[in-house]
Amino acid sequence: MPRAAKHQRGAKLRSAAFSRIRSDHQSELAEDYVELIADLIDERGEARGTDVAMRLGVANATVVKTLKRLQDAGLVTQEPYRAIFLTGEGWKMAEDGRRKHRIVEGFLLALGVSEETARIDSEGIEHHVSEETLRAMARFLARNGR
Amino acid sequence: MPRAAKHQRGAKLRSAAFSRIRSDHQSELAEDYVELIADLIDERGEARGTDVAMRLGVANATVVKTLKRLQDAGLVTQEPYRAIFLTGEGWKMAEDGRRKHRIVEGFLLALGVSEETARIDSEGIEHHVSEETLRAMARFLARNGR
DNA sequence: CAATAGATTTAGCCAATGCTAAACTTTCTG
DNA sequence: CAGAAAGTTTAGCATTGGCTAAATCTATTG
Ligand SMILES: [Mn+2]
Ligand SMILES: [Mn+2]
Ligand SMILES: [Mn+2]
Ligand SMILES: [Mn+2]
């Protein structure tokens, strides 16, 4: 039996976690964009590309390019030099992002970390928690949250 | 006062979380590679590119290219057609990754999620937890762990 | 010890996500 | 309402991290 085949089976199982990470990373940016656009619309009535760029801390040109992809993906609509709107699917993704974000951030606070850490860490963690873990966090939160 | 300047200050603060994510993502792949290489060396005496590729679930050629970057970054050493070695810095990063991974995975288990979910979710979460959150998880683990 | 099977690297492609500088459009103002 | 200021997009570049197919090296074995 060839050397490389020897451990193929065990490896196949283990690689599932890394596949998940790669897939999470693909949706991650889209989720943060739509959630941020939803926040801007709610807070200020409209979302401009510049505001998105400022809140994300990236260049304007980067946002323009990313929004084009999100438009192709059916998440946002926009016309040149105008504000950005979310499609139905975009709002759905934004709401789901907010839900996860709220649970993760509240959970971290209930666990005893500072507000700033909860805010920062939850921005990354939210994209890598399964529904099962979210349920466990919500359960903990119901018992120990404020 | 120009429109875009109006909210610049608030945005600056908020963008810190997204900067952290972008920086986390840059180190993420390197961390998983060195941790995996360390595991292979410990389990099997040596780490071959092929084994790394199989465990990650990516093509061989991808691993070759990434290892070149890790070599430039001073994390691994290798010669063509030979096994991969970690530098001192590589081992340090691997050990630190293992430490975080252990805490996060143990924590998820203590929180009540299944072994498979803990294994999969921790692979992504480990890269986005601050030291403060790790301490909080370790504290919880000390009280509620198995 | 030569042929071949297996392992590894190279070459060349692609998409995503970042940047700066230049061009263009919109908005404000005298 | 013309010119300037502000806002936005385009153009062009770089890096990362994927892939497949072809080339090359190593190891086995008859
Ligand atoms: Mn979010
Ligand atoms: Mn986020
Ligand atoms: Mn790890
Ligand atoms: Mn990982």
Side-chain angles (χ1 to χ4, degrees):
Chain A
M1 190 180 193
R3 213 191 56 75
K6 233 186 305 181
H7 290 262
Q8 234 157 348
R9 263 163 304 283
K12 192 78 62 68
L13 286 174
R14 263 181 276 234
S15 69
F18 295 108
S19 298
R20 242 281 303 277
I21 290 202
R22 286 192 296 274
S23 123
D24 285 347
H25 281 165
Q26 286 209 297
S27 30
E28 187 159 349
L29 196 75
E31 283 170 27
D32 283 340
Y33 264 74
V34 296
E35 195 182 337
L36 179 45
I37 290 165
D39 288 350
L40 285 168
I41 290 173
D42 287 354
E43 285 170 30
R44 317 180 41 186
E46 64 168 21
R48 316 283 310 195
T50 307
D51 302 325
V52 174
M54 276 195 319
R55 289 240 187 140
L56 290 178
V58 300
N60 239 286
T62 300
V63 169
V64 171
K65 203 182 285 191
T66 303
L67 285 176
K68 240 164 232 149
R69 286 203 308 277
L70 297 187
Q71 191 168 33
D72 290 348
L75 295 169
V76 311
T77 60
Q78 50 168 357
E79 279 162 285
Y81 299 99
R82 290 286 143 67
I84 306 151
F85 298 93
L86 293 176
T87 63
E89 207 190 329
W91 276 111
K92 225 180 68 189
M93 183 183 278
E95 292 298 353
D96 199 53
R98 282 168 164 177
R99 179 189 129 255
K100 287 188 192 172
H101 209 137
R102 216 170 20 237
I103 294 176
V104 173
E105 187 166 355
F107 171 78
L108 288 177
L109 285 171
L111 195 64
V113 310
S114 70
E115 290 199 10
E116 190 185 357
T117 296
R119 191 170 52 75
I120 293 182
D121 285 17
S122 66
E123 192 61 73
I125 294 174
E126 60 169 348
H127 309 282
H128 298 279
V129 287
S130 61
E131 283 299 326
E132 185 187 344
T133 297
L134 275 175
R135 276 195 301 275
M137 287 181 170
R139 197 162 51 230
F140 179 87
L141 195 47
R143 294 220 186 95
N144 306 275
R146 332 108 277 64
Chain B
M1 192 179 190
R3 213 191 57 76
K6 235 187 308 184
H7 290 263
Q8 234 158 354
R9 264 164 305 283
K12 193 75 67 62
L13 285 173
R14 266 181 273 233
S15 70
F18 296 108
S19 298
R20 240 284 299 279
I21 289 199
R22 286 193 296 273
S23 125
D24 285 348
H25 282 165
Q26 287 212 299
S27 30
E28 186 159 348
L29 196 76
E31 283 169 26
D32 283 340
Y33 264 74
V34 296
E35 195 181 335
L36 179 46
I37 291 164
D39 288 349
L40 286 167
I41 290 173
D42 288 354
E43 285 168 29
R44 319 179 40 186
E46 65 170 18
R48 317 285 307 197
T50 308
D51 302 324
V52 174
M54 275 193 320
R55 289 240 187 142
L56 290 179
V58 299
N60 240 286
T62 300
V63 169
V64 171
K65 203 184 284 192
T66 302
L67 284 176
K68 241 163 230 151
R69 287 203 308 278
L70 297 187
Q71 191 168 33
D72 290 348
L75 294 169
V76 311
T77 59
Q78 50 169 356
E79 278 162 288
Y81 301 97
R82 290 286 143 67
I84 306 152
F85 297 93
L86 292 176
T87 63
E89 207 190 330
W91 276 111
K92 224 178 68 189
M93 181 182 279
E95 292 297 354
D96 200 53
R98 283 169 163 175
R99 179 189 129 255
K100 288 188 192 172
H101 210 139
R102 216 170 21 236
I103 293 175
V104 173
E105 187 165 357
F107 171 78
L108 288 177
L109 286 171
L111 194 64
V113 310
S114 70
E115 289 200 10
E116 191 185 358
T117 296
R119 192 170 51 76
I120 292 182
D121 285 16
S122 66
E123 193 61 76
I125 294 174
E126 60 169 351
H127 308 282
H128 298 279
V129 287
S130 61
E131 282 300 326
E132 185 188 343
T133 297
L134 276 175
R135 276 195 303 273
M137 288 180 169
R139 198 163 48 229
F140 180 88
L141 196 48
R143 295 217 186 95
N144 306 275
R146 3 74 293 76

